[in-house]
Amino acid sequence: MRYSWAVILFFSLWAVPKVNAHGYVNNINVDGKRYVAPAEYNDPDIICHKGSQPAPLSAGASPGSRVSFTWNTWPDSHHGPVMTYMAQCPSGCSNVAKASLMWFKIDEAGLQSPGSPGTWASDVLVGTEKQYTVTLPTDLTDGDYVLRHEIIALHGAGEMGGAQNYPYCFNVNIGGGGNVTKRDAAPAIKGIAATQFYGANDPGTTYSTE
């Protein structure tokens, strides 16, 4: 069955029970107070947002594709880093157990210029019509993956537990990459569980932007 790109992009987004008032990713383009708090960093909610469920379809992409994430909105006051991860689904992503996904980071951007609060990657996103573009690794093996795109809002992170994580996930199917095994060759880049990404005491999650 053939689907329009609009349908594929919509159904490649993992389902989240309630829309976030602070902002959420409402579109991805390939080649062209419901946050997760530090107290939940060890909870599955940190993986793809609260109560998320796998999407039934995947957007097509290739190694080296440029993927643009468009947020519906983002508050100017919510300064912080923007990060993107990937995890492979050996048996497909439509029914994957999210806790089984092992992630590797493909892009990150944080403080762009110092100050109080300074200029952060989230500010750059706001200034580019709330769009953030990443380039997929060129050594990806063909197959099914989940893309995890996230902003960490640090406006309340001057005190421990005040950071706000906003992760969203999309399914992509990578074709044209062959059987590249570079990522399997080095244990350090095989990936880790999302519940091991952050700690409430980490310097990046307890940080004053003032």
Side-chain angles (χ1 to χ4, degrees):
M1 183 180 296
R2 295 178 65 86
Y3 296 90
S4 71
W5 265 104
V7 170
I8 290 174
L9 290 174
F10 178 80
F11 284 104
S12 67
L13 169 63
W14 281 43
V16 177
K18 291 185 179 179
V19 170
N20 193 317
H22 290 77
Y24 60 92
V25 180
N26 65 350
N27 181 49
I28 63 170
N29 182 297
V30 179
D31 288 334
K33 164 168 177 189
R34 279 191 61 83
Y35 57 87
V36 180
E40 299 170 291
Y41 282 166
N42 294 320
D43 188 280
D45 283 339
I46 192 62
I47 302 171
C48 292
H49 218 304
K50 289 180 176 288
S52 60
Q53 298 295 324
L57 300 180
S58 296
S62 301
S65 285
R66 288 172 59 80
V67 179
S68 295
F69 302 91
T70 302
W71 291 70
N72 73 316
T73 188
W74 190 256
D76 292 343
S77 61
H78 285 33
H79 310 285
V82 180
M83 290 168 285
T84 306
Y85 301 79
M86 292 186 76
Q88 191 166 20
C89 308
S91 301
C93 296
S94 61
N95 293 300
V96 69
K98 59 186 178 182
S100 70
L101 293 170
M102 295 289 108
W103 302 88
F104 53 93
K105 187 183 291 183
I106 64 168
D107 183 85
E108 64 178 345
L111 184 63
Q112 305 296 293
S113 61
S116 298
T119 301
W120 289 81
S122 62
D123 303 315
V124 176
L125 178 149
V126 170
T128 54
E129 299 182 346
K130 302 176 183 66
Q131 187 177 95
Y132 191 88
T133 300
V134 303
T135 300
L136 300 185
T138 58
D139 60 349
L140 289 173
T141 306
D142 286 358
D144 294 302
Y145 293 79
V146 180
L147 272 170
R148 180 184 183 275
H149 183 63
E150 175 181 44
I151 300 177
I152 304 179
L154 299 176
H155 59 289
E159 297 182 1
M160 190 176 69
Q164 299 178 3
N165 291 62
Y166 296 85
Y168 289 92
C169 292
F170 300 84
N171 293 347
V172 292
N173 177 265
I174 301 297
N179 294 312
V180 178
T181 58
K182 290 181 181 179
R183 292 200 170 275
D184 295 328
I189 55 175
K190 280 187 174 179
I192 63 170
T195 50
Q196 299 175 6
F197 283 173
Y198 315 114
N201 293 313
D202 289 351
T205 56
T206 301
Y207 181 94
S208 176
T209 58
E210 301 303 321

